[in-house]
Amino acid sequence: MMRLFLRKLILTFTILNVAVSVQADVIIKGTIVHNVANLDIKNICFEVYQDYISPQVNQSKKILCSVDSKGYFSTTIKGYKNAFYIGTYFVSSTNKEVFALDNQVLHKPFLFEDNDSLNITINLRGKWIQFKGKGSERLNCQFQMESQSISEGGLARVRDLGNKENFYDANALESKLLDQLWVSKLTILQSYKNNFSPYIYNRVYLDSWYYQKYSHLNSLLSTYALTYPIRNKGIIDFVKTKYSNDLQIPEGINPSSEMLGQYIRYLYKSNYLKLIIGKFDLGNLTYNVSMLELFQKIKNNYSGPTRDYLFLTFFLTGGKYQNDTLAFLEEAKKLITLTAVKDELAMWLNRLNTFDKQNFTLTDIDGKTVSLNNLKGKVLVLDFWFLGCSGCLKMSPYLEKVQNYFENRDVVFVSINTDDLPRFKLGLEDGGYTNPNQLLLYTSGLVRQHPLLEYFKIYDFPTLIVIKKNGEAVSSRAPDPRLDNGLALKKMIESAF
């Protein structure tokens, strides 16, 4: 009887172990070689994301993996589902980010699958990464695709045309260079096609294609979104020529809702930009886009999962109170069919409403710790920037005008640098990133891994966030004062009293 019981017990554990192994284990081993600069790399941090549709909501899982004296590392990661994303960065012995490779490529989350078993070689001298093992061809393909870039000569010509105020031709040339870049990426992807399932091929295709398109639209908006007529006319004429209609999902690509992340981001940015263009047609030289117009455009022009996720992006990007976006929340809930989208909206609202329960601390230039909780009773305008951020430099004068507007009122403008201490000091010496009377802080040596940036899912810069006097967050993103000379940002700050 006891023998039968033990046999059943062993069988039960065997079944459980098989079930666990099937779930989602990803094994990652590797070596950092040719560290000729003797960079201080103590750990590798793997950031695991469920999807790319709502990065402001989805919590990433951070897996800290130690690197020994010979550069060896090893870890096991449990993923979310069949396919998910992992981004990577290096961390020093003092918990600072180490910039060892092209960080734009390194940080970009790549697509992994359950049961991947990888051996990775990271060559710091040659600045390349090679993957071997189960899943390696998918990772090598993505790394090779995202390592492609526009030539320096091409970029120099784009800048030259812009400096000569020939903004239409500058944008047209950049677009042409990006189309050529996509041909290079697609050639690499197609060379791997026989090694991928249709699902993986389509997903890698959509991620890369629409991320590039989204980035270009974002560049158009941020680089030329200034009330400067020559630039405005250049961008208007170009967008009307290039983006008069939505780019369609390429023929032969049949995405499921979980593949729509970059496509949704592109569609949202495209519709926002086209509304701006319409404003200029009416002779309005500001970028004050009505949230009602954007909501109606999404509601009337899209359907199904695409509309559901566009609504989600509308609230996450528009902020909690920006131009009264919450006025449309109940109507959107009635139209949204996907339970997952409703749940993510609820999670996002909860994170904003419970910000006053958090206790985030930062550090000033003298090493003094400052708790945001101790600033309750005043409206806070958090301005996140880093040394070398061109958008941060361009936004600073506009933010100063808003700051002067609220002079002698209970508003504290908090400048938060996301670099380490030496770069923070260099940014202050430069003088272009900050304004007089701002509270100057940095992320205590945690760089962009500070819990405050993780809480608000801050990946793009500059980013503004407004905190109410009672300590609650007004928005996950505040309006950019460059777009309308600060009108919408002033309105949001007024709502925070």
Side-chain angles (χ1 to χ4, degrees):
M1 197 68 149
M2 178 61 71
R3 189 175 297 171
L4 179 61
F5 171 75
L6 289 174
R7 192 177 299 165
K8 289 182 177 179
L9 188 63
I10 292 170
L11 180 60
T12 301
F13 274 110
T14 302
I15 293 171
L16 286 174
N17 284 333
V18 170
V20 169
S21 67
V22 169
Q23 277 185 341
D25 284 3
V26 171
I27 298 172
I28 298 177
K29 299 178 181 179
T31 309
I32 298 173
V33 300
H34 296 308
N35 187 3
V36 291
N38 293 318
L39 296 173
D40 176 17
I41 301 177
K42 182 67 175 178
N43 296 290
I44 294 181
C45 184
F46 297 101
E47 290 187 298
V48 188
Y49 299 86
Q50 182 176 355
D51 57 48
Y52 244 145
I53 291 177
S54 52
Q56 287 186 39
V57 173
N58 288 327
Q59 290 278 3
S60 65
K61 294 193 299 186
K62 290 181 181 289
I63 312 295
L64 203 62
C65 175
S66 62
V67 179
D68 69 15
S69 59
K70 295 182 179 179
Y72 179 77
F73 57 90
S74 177
T75 190
T76 299
I77 296 173
K78 289 192 177 296
Y80 287 101
K81 47 188 178 181
N82 291 334
F84 49 92
Y85 297 89
I86 300 179
T88 309
Y89 61 87
F90 302 126
V91 183
S92 72
S93 57
T94 56
N95 205 31
K96 295 179 180 178
E97 185 173 346
V98 179
F99 296 88
L101 293 170
D102 183 341
N103 289 279
Q104 184 176 357
V105 174
L106 191 64
H107 280 147
K108 188 181 188 309
F110 288 156
L111 187 66
F112 283 69
E113 284 189 288
D114 292 355
N115 300 317
D116 280 350
S117 182
L118 296 158
N119 197 299
I120 306 172
T121 300
I122 302 174
N123 188 313
L124 297 187
R125 180 170 60 192
K127 297 189 181 300
W128 52 259
I129 301 176
Q130 184 179 55
F131 301 88
K132 293 182 179 180
K134 190 176 186 300
S136 60
E137 294 201 333
R138 178 182 358 94
L139 273 302
N140 282 321
C141 175
Q142 291 175 89
F143 181 75
Q144 290 161 19
M145 289 175 69
E146 299 312 318
S147 296
Q148 303 298 304
S149 60
I150 297 174
S151 69
E152 282 300 319
L155 290 175
R157 180 55 180 156
V158 170
R159 288 192 293 267
D160 181 53
L161 288 168
N163 291 335
K164 294 177 179 177
E165 297 186 346
N166 192 343
F167 297 112
Y168 180 90
D169 286 349
N171 283 304
L173 176 59
E174 184 179 22
S175 178
K176 181 179 179 180
L177 293 171
L178 285 170
D179 288 342
Q180 293 172 354
L181 176 63
W182 171 247
V183 171
S184 298
K185 291 182 178 181
L186 184 57
T187 300
I188 293 170
L189 176 59
Q190 289 175 336
S191 73
Y192 284 89
K193 188 171 185 177
N194 292 336
N195 304 104
F196 298 158
S197 69
Y199 172 83
I200 290 299
Y201 178 85
N202 290 349
R203 191 156 180 173
V204 173
Y205 188 118
L206 288 176
D207 279 347
S208 184
W209 171 245
Y210 284 107
Y211 178 78
Q212 179 171 300
K213 292 299 179 183
Y214 167 82
S215 298
H216 187 215
L217 286 175
N218 207 38
S219 173
L220 288 173
L221 185 60
S222 61
T223 305
Y224 299 116
L226 303 170
T227 51
Y228 184 41
I230 298 176
R231 289 188 173 186
N232 289 336
K233 187 177 187 312
I235 193 172
I236 289 168
D237 292 343
F238 174 74
V239 171
K240 284 181 177 179
T241 302
K242 183 71 175 180
Y243 292 107
S244 57
N245 298 309
D246 287 341
L247 290 177
Q248 299 301 308
I249 293 177
E251 187 177 350
I253 304 293
N254 299 308
S256 59
S257 61
E258 63 197 21
M259 294 188 205
L260 293 175
Q262 301 294 1
Y263 180 56
I264 295 297
R265 282 155 55 92
Y266 158 75
L267 283 182
Y268 186 85
K269 186 66 68 173
S270 173
N271 279 284
Y272 183 78
L273 193 57
K274 281 186 283 190
L275 276 176
I276 289 174
I277 299 307
K279 291 288 184 180
F280 281 112
D281 284 344
L282 298 174
N284 183 357
L285 291 181
T286 70
Y287 282 70
N288 188 18
V289 172
S290 162
M291 291 293 106
L292 172 61
E293 290 176 283
L294 187 54
F295 182 82
Q296 295 293 345
K297 193 173 179 63
I298 293 171
K299 174 183 172 182
N300 296 329
N301 293 345
Y302 302 95
S303 60
T306 300
R307 184 169 70 177
D308 285 2
Y309 282 112
L310 280 171
F311 278 147
L312 179 64
T313 307
F314 172 82
F315 292 108
L316 267 56
T317 304
K320 186 178 177 183
Y321 291 116
Q322 180 181 338
N323 295 322
D324 303 318
T325 52
L326 281 193
F328 315 109
L329 184 58
E330 292 306 314
E331 183 179 358
K333 284 181 179 179
K334 293 176 182 177
L335 295 170
I336 291 171
T337 58
L338 296 177
T339 302
V341 173
K342 292 181 179 180
D343 290 344
E344 291 191 24
L345 275 176
M347 289 169 56
W348 168 73
L349 282 169
N350 181 64
R351 289 168 70 78
L352 295 182
N353 293 335
T354 59
F355 181 75
D356 61 320
K357 306 294 192 301
Q358 314 304 313
N359 185 26
F360 294 110
T361 60
L362 298 146
T363 308
D364 69 13
I365 193 71
D366 298 318
K368 179 183 176 182
T369 298
V370 177
S371 169
L372 294 183
N373 275 351
N374 291 340
L375 299 175
K376 281 185 181 179
K378 296 181 182 293
V379 175
L380 306 183
V381 181
L382 309 182
D383 169 25
F384 296 86
W385 61 278
F386 66 90
L387 181 64
C389 169
S390 60
C392 305
L393 285 170
K394 291 175 182 176
M395 189 182 74
S396 185
Y398 291 85
L399 187 60
E400 184 174 13
K401 293 178 183 178
V402 177
Q403 184 177 336
N404 292 338
Y405 179 83
F406 287 99
E407 190 176 6
N408 300 321
R409 297 184 64 182
D410 284 340
V411 183
V412 178
F413 286 77
V414 186
S415 170
I416 302 176
N417 174 265
T418 62
D419 297 309
D420 58 19
L421 182 57
R423 291 178 65 82
F424 175 41
K425 290 180 177 178
L426 285 174
L428 295 183
E429 291 172 6
D430 182 277
Y433 298 94
T434 62
N435 296 311
N437 301 318
Q438 279 186 310
L439 177 58
L440 305 176
L441 305 173
Y442 80 112
T443 51
S444 309
L446 298 178
V447 212
R448 300 185 194 181
Q449 283 70 58
H450 192 280
L452 178 59
L453 277 74
E454 173 64 20
Y455 189 88
F456 282 117
K457 300 297 176 188
I458 297 174
Y459 307 111
D460 301 319
F461 299 86
T463 291
L464 297 174
I465 291 174
V466 176
I467 308 298
K468 296 169 71 172
K469 293 182 76 171
N470 65 3
E472 293 180 358
V474 175
S475 170
S476 55
R477 297 293 184 272
D480 188 332
R482 291 175 293 175
L483 305 184
D484 60 357
N485 211 24
L487 294 176
L489 179 58
K490 289 176 183 177
K491 180 180 178 182
M492 179 177 283
I493 294 172
E494 292 285 2
S495 77
F497 281 92

